[in-house]
Amino acid sequence: MSPRSLTQVEAEQRAALLAVERYDISIDLTDLPTGSAVVCVSTVTFTCHEPGASSFADCVAPVISATLNGEPLPEAVDGRIPLPGLAGRNTLRVETVQADTTDGAGVHKSVDPSDGEVYVWTTFAPDEARHLFACFDQPDVKVPHAFTVTAPAAWTVASNSGDPRIEDLGGVRRWTFPDTPPLATYNTVVNAGPLHEVRREAGGHDLGLFCRRSLAPLLDRDADEIFAVTEQGLAFFGDVFGLPFPQRKYDQVFMPDFGGAMENWGCVTWEDSFLSRSEPSPAEREMLAVVLLHEMSHMWFGNLVTMRWWDDLWLNEAFAEFACYWAAEHATRYTDAWVGLLAADKLVAYLADQGPVSHPIRQPVPDVAEAASIFDAITYPKGAAVLHQLMTYVGEEQFVAGMKSYFARHAWGSTTLQDLIDALAETSGRDLNAWRAGWLETAGVDRFTFAGLTLTGSGPAGPPRPQVLAVGSYAKGPSGLTRTGLARVEVRGPETAVPLPADADFYLVNDDDLTFATTRPSAADRATLINEAGALPTAVSRGVAVATVWDMLTNGEATAAEAVRCLTSVLATETADTVIEPYLRRAGDAAEFWAGDAERPELLALVHATCARLAGQPSRRQVALRGLARTAADPDELARLRTAGDADVDLQWRCLVRAAELGAETDADVRELLERDPDPDATYQALAVRAARPDAEEKAAVWQALAVDRAVPVGSLGVVARAFWRPGQDDILAPYGEKYLALLPGFGRGGMVPSMVYSSRLLPRVATTADFPAEAEKAVAGAAPVVRQTVLEYADELRRMIRSRG
């Protein structure tokens, strides 16, 4: 049974009653090399405004002992330790032992399969600190934390404040870290293990990188790039927010089994799959840079200034997602980063905002369990796009001035939406109440069309939101489509006159991608949009064309064949290397999952031919070969491809997955590749090869490991699940829809990230009936909110795929 979730009302009442002064937390990791237990002693010093009143502390970890002001406390119930008869000044001391460090929340032990070394990490968002130590686990309680960690002598320990005092205690070492600045519990961290470390002085900061020993060559390969982006990001954010990062040490720790990345103050934790096992592609390099900048921007949005309650989660996540692309464009070499967002996650947000999981960016969050369900495409990419629109709406100079005012006023405090709106309204001179109501408190997308030099728009329930967007006019010529005009207009109602030439050959709505809105071409422009999108002159205009056609596909207004034609047209001319891979991936998805059985081979052949042409371009060869491996029609071609790309181990695995899918014998090749692949997680690549085989016994064995035993780390689960759910294997895969539904109730264990990963990656993409999405929606009705929302989102996409297949 899940522990009770803290409600907003309870958090407000507790914050009004108590004033926490500090946490002193000792953590003993010495059992972990051979066992599973982490022992903690949490000492919390706090005052009570009403002596004699009662409250509670949050603690899900099993309690060994608990005292308040030296007196024993009652047992914890539903993850809460009662605190009766509070004094004016109080000391709470709780000793806990958490032995569930494999599947539990908050703390995780990982064993490297290549050398047996043990690593441990913590992650506490949104309320998982209570799974390790007793605390007041709510975001507006911001106080210093002092961590003391006892660990095996060969281990390195990293935490928020850096520069610990290290004592040798004979076989173990004690790491005593200085007090953190005032932080919420979810911003704190301990990472430990026999870590490989790289350090560099840059921009006045002491920058550190860590990873498990078996990945040391990969971290050394990427260190220069990571340090460069880190230095650039710290300088950019310090400038635009008017407040340099106030701590000298800034560490980033790449850990196994983590899932994503987490913005712990001064010590960011990463899933170590971000260290690409082969030479990173342009898209992978850009992704690492924007994730790095996303987590870094949280040092200001989320850590230095924290939302008072989870209804303002977007103040953290949307701003971090916006800021990372803003910084990438202005401060790094990834000047096409906004196009990367448009080519990938923004399309996910458009779909989500037109489906059953659509919700306002800011919405009531009655308890923390509901908060975990909104770490989603609405909060992240839609939120980023909406903030990009806000900066366009008020002007970048005024936006920066507002940010500086906001941080100067609220540093180390907690805020609400109104605090931010007030700061931006003051510096821009605009009344932002209508903007706030339309963009942050209203769900759904606007829709725009353009005809007769008039932009016509509608919102989710009436006129469109207030916004600024652009329409471009184009002339056709021998060199493609040439822009003849670009008009930025401010939308104040259903119709907006646009000053552009009346005789243009083509018009593109939302040119320059300034807003978050879906668009539709006029009847005269539709064919050009689908067949000649590659003739548009800029990466962003081509990205807008792709986004429009993809949205038409997901809404049943374009076919998979039209989507593939649009994408291959763009791929033939695209100048931004970083979007080649996401466009190829999307073209492959259209052919495999959105097309019917009859047209799939022809569309895959079209994608394959596009990859073959791109393979002749040195900067695109790597990702083009990946596309060839995905779309190859026979094992002989894959064998030739493996020979051509022998040095690229990642490509070798992709070829073997496709060969297995086509029914070829791969056992000997898998054994040979396992012997020469230095990746400590290569066994999961081998499992993906097995998963792809059209063999009932192999599918059953892989499903057992993947879904039932949960033997695949979350960082590798996606590659195995993608190989498992292959089109054309419907007879073998048919039983697994019911198997997925049977496992749904258990997907909520292990914390927020595993819940999302298991419920999304394992959901069928093929071999289902038209009734399956409804069955999934019914089955998930009583599940944990994070599982419910994830399944609803993916089931809606599956329903659209089934409709598109015809």
Side-chain angles (χ1 to χ4, degrees), residues 592-742:
E592 288 186 342
F593 300 118
W594 294 84
D597 292 343
E599 62 179 344
R600 185 177 303 120
E602 180 182 352
L603 295 183
L604 285 172
L606 179 56
V607 178
H608 190 80
T610 300
C611 293
R613 289 191 293 271
L614 290 170
Q617 304 172 31
S619 65
R620 281 87 187 275
R621 179 172 174 77
Q622 178 188 27
V623 297
L625 294 181
R626 292 177 178 181
L628 288 173
R630 177 179 183 176
T631 57
D634 66 79
D636 289 342
E637 181 184 359
L638 290 163
R640 293 191 295 272
L641 190 58
R642 289 188 65 205
T643 301
D646 181 65
D648 187 342
V649 177
D650 174 74
L651 179 65
Q652 299 292 314
W653 284 118
R654 290 169 188 262
C655 287
L656 289 179
V657 168
R658 179 61 173 167
E661 180 185 355
L662 295 174
E665 173 56 49
T666 57
D667 286 349
D669 291 328
V670 166
R671 287 193 297 269
E672 183 273 332
L673 192 53
L674 279 172
E675 288 178 1
R676 67 184 179 96
D677 188 350
D679 181 5
D681 299 321
T683 52
Y684 305 117
Q685 295 280 10
L687 186 64
V689 177
R690 293 178 60 194
R693 291 174 180 160
D695 180 278
E697 291 185 2
E698 289 282 46
K699 292 288 188 187
V702 171
W703 183 262
Q704 181 70 30
L706 192 65
V708 180
D709 298 339
R710 294 170 73 127
V712 179
V714 293
S716 300
L717 194 144
V719 68
V720 182
R722 283 193 298 272
F724 185 89
W725 292 112
R726 301 309 301 152
Q729 299 180 353
D730 290 14
D731 290 344
I732 297 172
L733 292 172
Y736 289 93
E738 289 301 319
K739 293 179 185 292
Y740 172 87
L741 296 179

Side-chain angles (χ1 to χ4, degrees), residues 553-561 590-600 603 730 765 768-770 797-806:
L553 170 67
T554 62
N555 281 281
E557 300 168 47
T559 65
E592 288 186 342
F593 300 118
W594 294 84
D597 292 343
E599 62 179 344
R600 185 177 303 120
L603 295 183
D730 290 14
R765 296 293 189 273
T768 60
T769 66
E797 183 183 37
L798 177 60
R799 179 182 286 110
R800 294 166 187 262
M801 288 178 178
I802 292 170
R803 178 184 62 195
S804 176
R805 295 168 195 162

Side-chain angles (χ1 to χ4, degrees), residues 209-231:
L209 304 174
F210 300 83
C211 72
R212 49 178 158 152
R213 287 177 179 170
S214 60
L215 295 183
L218 304 184
L219 185 63
D220 293 344
R221 176 199 68 195
D222 293 344
D224 286 346
E225 169 80 0
I226 297 171
F227 282 133
V229 176
T230 302
E231 182 180 9

Side-chain angles (χ1 to χ4, degrees), residues 236-260:
F236 177 81
F237 290 132
D239 179 45
V240 296
F241 297 149
L243 184 64
F245 181 63
Q247 181 168 290
R248 180 169 145 70
K249 184 166 280 191
Y250 188 87
D251 290 337
Q252 298 176 84
V253 187
F254 294 83
M255 295 295 270
D257 305 351
F258 187 73

Side-chain angles (χ1 to χ4, degrees), residues 27 29 32 108-110 117-122 149-152 154-159 175 177 189-195 210-212 253-256 267 269:
I27 302 177
L29 305 175
L32 290 181
H108 181 80
K109 168 188 172 179
S110 178
E117 295 284 9
V118 171
Y119 299 86
V120 61
W121 47 260
T122 68
V149 183
T150 306
W155 284 19
T156 297
V157 181
S159 189
W175 301 64
F177 289 88
V189 71
V190 169
N191 291 307
L195 294 162
F210 300 83
C211 72
R212 49 178 158 152
V253 187
F254 294 83
M255 295 295 270
C267 186
T269 310

